[in-house]
Amino acid sequence: MDQERFSFYDGSKMIDTITLGGLKGFQNMEEEKQVMWRKRAIDEISMQCFGDNKVGVVAGHSMLWSEEHGKPLPVVTQNDLDVFTHVLYMGIPGDVVAERRVGGTRKNRPLLTANQLEDWQKEEKNRLRELCSENNILFSVLQHPLQMDKVLALLDDFWIHSEHYNLSRAQEELRRGLKANGEGQGIVLAMDADRTLAAEDTGSLFWKLASSKWPLAAAEDTLKMLFSGPLGYSHTAFRQATLLYEEIADDLEFDELCRDVASQVFMYPEMVSLLHFLAEQDHVEIVIISSGLRLVWEKVLEREGLSKAVTIVGGGRIKDGYIVTAAVKSQLVAYLRAIHKKYIWAFGDSPIDLPMLNKADRAVVVVGEESTRSKTMDAELKTAINDYGLGAYQVVLPSSATPRSGIPMAKLTDPGFIFDIMGHRRSHKPPQFIHATDTEAAKLLATPMRNSAVAGPELREAHRRVGRHLATTFVADIVGLEQPPIQYVLGRQTRGYQLRHEAKTTIVALMRGGEPMASGVNDAFPLAMFVHAKDADDIKLHHLEGQITLILVDSVINTGKSIFEFVEHVRSIHATIRIVVVAGVVQDKCVTGSGGGSLIQKLAPYARVHIFALRISETSFVGSRQTDTGNRLFNTIHLP
């Protein structure tokens, strides 16, 4: 250990050194005098540490066994509680302690059973937790077998950590995540995570799972008891929360529990679409500033395909180097505004987000279901508005939840609101157009579609095959996959694959020529909603609300007029949903024309639009009765 920073003491030895008659004389004293010498011993240690400018590490007891009373009695003094800043308890099992006591020869100790020792430890830990909480002292149990590297890491952290150091580490983490352009008139979304991006609280879920796994060591209401106690939501309380995570699980166990928690956290679809949409804007950055578990949110964002687009400032472990409190959230927003000259939109749901919301240029309060949202937020929000001038919107998620009173509402799907968030600027890439014309698969699949002898059910089946091919080859690649549990053929459970957010996908068949191909897309994505639409207005808000991806399917795109009308209409009612266009064939000039007339150029103002086609063709598809694709598909060539 580093003796330049630390001084090490044995409490009993200090008593032996300063007490008249030494330790033996001390043991023969009345209780009142013993208390006096215990106080003098810790005061002497404190003065020595102050004089040497070192941190004192003291080995001692908080309870000692009383033969007279037949039970352990507390020996902690108020001076101890005034001096100590941290208490580490050696959590050695009772049977191990009993064996060591029997084998020990240096001290004359009463014979106690393993059960008696464990009862002693339990009482001691409970009492210390209570005393430490009441006296602003951090407490943690070191689990057996003792790992010295962990003890050293804790001591190093205790030595260096202060609120100033904590903020500097959080700022460093934030700086690392900012885009290379650094300072400038960019926009930053500073977002809370738990119950803002999703309805779930990651900390509560963690302790629920931990208590199920280790019922004797963990309690489901651990965080509730901590934050409702004397420490409240102070800096010390959040530090204590980190120590509780350290105490209950090693790094591997913590990672596994965070993985299990992440599997139960489901981001609001509107948030998923918003973050993907804004991630494509070069002048917008997204930062999560969370008091929850960073590792959980890393896993959630990775699952959503957002890990590269979002910076996370959050802790959970000592090695993270910092915690996120209400003050840290506020100071990071102020830092972004003052030092990096960013325009800040802040999103939060609870009272600890209010300082951050107050510091931001624009504030959004996320309001969830009444059963899960903060019970104290209404009163504190009212105070923030009336006394501190907070001006905020509220976004209600899901849309069926009851809004909070007295705050103007906004919708994350509203084009005007999203354009406002973007600062009335667009900096995204143009729509993506990909075709498979020259691939061997496309040549095979296109042959029956081009063959005038093929019509009716056979042609519809050919279109269906194309739809499935484009869905699995292109759509799945751009949208991504997720891994649901499936029953393996050998009888055990394993993981399969399906489209990411498949159940939150809407497939629209542009009638009537697009229906067979849309059915093929639906074959690939069977959980998706299926909608028929003859005109753009046939797509209603309820087809898009709560959805993340919209797939428009048509057999032929000639001028692109219909597709543009559909995209324009969709964007007028849902600003951020991903739009994927699937077509069998696209007329060449439709996508390559100049003078602003091509479909790609017309769609340029709209982000998150992708077009996939089996092939492009120089032929203009203004079909006659015999060559019209719709007539060939449904054997209506003979109709006038």
Side-chain angles (χ1 to χ4, degrees), residues 213-475:
K213 187 172 184 178
W214 303 299
L216 297 179
E220 185 173 338
D221 61 352
T222 292
L223 293 184
K224 182 179 179 181
M225 294 294 291
L226 170 63
F227 292 119
S228 62
L231 296 176
Y233 286 90
S234 63
H235 184 92
T236 302
F238 283 99
R239 287 274 289 163
Q240 182 62 61
T242 301
L243 287 176
L244 288 169
Y245 288 121
E246 292 284 348
E247 182 180 319
I248 198 63
D250 62 27
D251 288 344
L252 180 59
E253 292 167 335
F254 184 77
D255 186 272
E256 290 174 351
L257 272 172
C258 285
R259 180 200 62 205
D260 293 340
V261 171
S263 71
Q264 297 183 32
V265 175
F266 304 99
M267 288 179 65
Y268 293 118
E270 295 86 347
M271 284 293 185
V272 174
S273 293
L274 174 70
L275 298 191
H276 274 291
F277 181 87
L278 294 176
E280 295 189 8
Q281 307 296 323
D282 291 337
H283 67 293
V284 178
E285 299 181 67
I286 306 163
V287 178
I288 290 176
I289 306 175
S290 175
S291 301
L293 294 168
R294 176 188 57 79
L295 187 56
V296 171
W297 283 104
E298 283 182 352
K299 294 176 186 297
V300 171
L301 292 175
E302 183 179 15
R303 186 182 71 214
E304 299 293 349
L306 286 162
S307 55
K308 294 181 180 179
V310 179
T311 297
I312 304 178
V313 179
R317 302 294 274 180
I318 287 292
K319 65 183 179 182
D320 292 323
Y322 63 92
I323 56 169
V324 176
T325 64
V328 169
K329 292 187 177 200
S330 171
Q331 290 163 333
L332 290 182
V333 166
Y335 171 77
L336 285 169
R337 292 184 67 191
I339 305 302
H340 291 274
K341 312 301 181 186
K342 301 294 185 180
Y343 189 89
I344 310 297
W345 280 81
F347 288 68
D349 73 291
S350 71
I352 67 169
D353 297 318
L354 286 173
M356 173 177 74
L357 297 176
N358 264 314
K359 286 288 186 183
D361 295 284
R362 306 288 287 276
V364 178
V365 177
V366 176
V367 179
E369 298 279 10
E370 288 188 81
S371 60
T372 60
R373 68 197 193 196
S374 169
K375 303 297 186 293
T376 60
M377 184 62 165
D378 277 326
E380 298 203 33
L381 185 57
K382 185 177 181 180
T383 299
I385 292 171
N386 294 337
D387 297 352
Y388 299 101
L390 173 66
Y393 294 102
Q394 67 172 316
V395 167
V396 178
L397 296 173
S399 59
S400 57
T402 305
R404 297 188 187 273
S405 60
I407 316 173
M409 291 185 64
K411 295 188 71 172
L412 295 184
T413 56
D414 176 57
F417 185 61
I418 299 305
F419 199 43
D420 201 13
I421 290 178
M422 293 193 300
H424 300 272
R425 294 167 56 194
R426 294 187 178 95
S427 57
H428 57 265
K429 296 176 181 178
Q432 181 184 37
F433 173 63
I434 296 176
H435 63 91
T437 306
D438 296 326
T439 66
E440 304 304 309
K443 293 171 185 176
L444 287 171
L445 288 165
T447 296
M449 296 168 63
R450 300 173 63 205
N451 188 344
S452 62
V454 177
E458 186 180 354
L459 183 58
R460 292 199 296 273
E461 181 57 33
H463 278 238
R464 190 168 191 141
R465 288 196 298 270
V466 169
R468 183 177 181 88
H469 173 73
L470 293 175
T472 54
T473 305
F474 297 116
V475 179

